[in-house]
Amino acid sequence: GLRLSDPVIMERSAGDLLTLRKVHPCGSYQREVYRPGADIGIRCTACCRRLLMERRALEKRARKVARGSQTLL
């Protein structure tokens, strides 16, 4: 069963906008999810640089999540 100590896995879908805790070298905090899965593909919204991150690492670094007009987290 699910215990309170178990981490909650947030579902990410393509098009979600993430605000991360650390700034990208180009100066942007915003990333867009382009590939959901175990390793999540994100793209910098300013310079379009792409990278893959483990789901657990991304959950730790995400400050805010926007799905369309909704803001989560």
Side-chain angles (χ1 to χ4, degrees), residues 13-33:
S13 57
D16 287 356
L17 291 175
L18 308 174
T19 303
L20 300 185
R21 296 184 190 278
K22 289 191 176 181
V23 68
H24 191 254
C26 73
S28 175
Y29 286 92
Q30 293 283 330
R31 310 291 189 282
E32 179 185 3
V33 174

Side-chain angles (χ1 to χ4, degrees), residues 1 5 10 25 35 37 40 45 61-62 70:
S5 61
M10 300 292 289
R35 180 186 175 267
I40 298 177
T45 56
R61 294 181 186 182
Q70 295 178 333

Side-chain angles (χ1 to χ4, degrees), residues 12-68:
R12 298 285 169 248
S13 57
D16 287 356
L17 291 175
L18 308 174
T19 303
L20 300 185
R21 296 184 190 278
K22 289 191 176 181
V23 68
H24 191 254
C26 73
S28 175
Y29 286 92
Q30 293 283 330
R31 310 291 189 282
E32 179 185 3
V33 174
Y34 72 88
R35 180 186 175 267
D39 290 334
I40 298 177
I42 58 175
R43 177 187 305 120
C44 178
T45 56
C47 68
C48 297
R49 183 83 166 177
R50 292 179 168 197
L51 67 123
L52 286 175
M53 290 185 73
E54 290 182 8
R55 178 180 295 274
R56 194 176 324 152
L58 186 62
E59 293 298 330
K60 193 184 264 189
R61 294 181 186 182
R63 180 177 292 169
K64 193 168 31 168
V65 179
R67 194 173 283 157

